[in-house]
Amino acid sequence: MDFDRTIGGKIREKREAKELRQDDLAEITNLSTNFISKIERGVRQPRLDKFVKILNALDASADEVLCHVLTNNYVTRMATYTEKIGKLSKEEQDKLLADIEALLKDIE
């Protein structure tokens, strides 16, 4: 797994979800657009203080960005799924849970 590229990709996803351009994120964080671009492409790793600035600007948590590079990421991923499921309508939740139950039945 390309550690830097994975983290950079998650940062890009979070930025795009907030409908921000790299220029916008650079301005909010007082970092250069070039630096933001390098992070998103996996060319550079930000120091912790800059990483925190970026996460705060994106209203993102470290576990959201890092969960795919951590060995024990299932707890974080499950919490994320639970949050997303909680935002669905009752009907959508019922359908999703029925699908999950069917998948689990196939595994057993």
Side-chain angles (χ1 to χ4, degrees), residues 32-108:
S32 74
T33 303
N34 186 43
F35 185 67
I36 299 294
S37 173
K38 286 180 178 180
I39 291 169
E40 289 185 358
R41 290 181 288 131
V43 175
R44 294 273 316 263
Q45 286 183 7
R47 289 190 335 241
L48 182 58
D49 61 327
K50 292 178 181 180
F51 183 63
V52 170
K53 274 186 178 184
I54 292 168
L55 294 180
N56 284 336
L58 298 174
D59 296 321
S61 65
D63 59 340
E64 289 176 284
V65 175
L66 298 174
C67 73
H68 295 289
V69 297
L70 298 173
T71 305
N72 255 344
N73 66 6
Y74 297 106
V75 172
T76 300
R77 289 173 64 191
M78 290 303 292
T80 302
Y81 298 148
T82 300
E83 181 181 334
K84 287 181 179 181
I85 292 168
K87 293 178 182 178
L88 299 174
S89 70
K90 172 84 169 92
E91 294 78 23
E92 292 169 322
Q93 287 179 10
D94 288 342
K95 182 181 180 328
L96 180 60
L97 292 174
D99 291 344
I100 291 170
E101 289 169 1
L103 287 170
L104 290 174
K105 205 177 256 189
D106 286 344
I107 294 171
E108 296 172 343

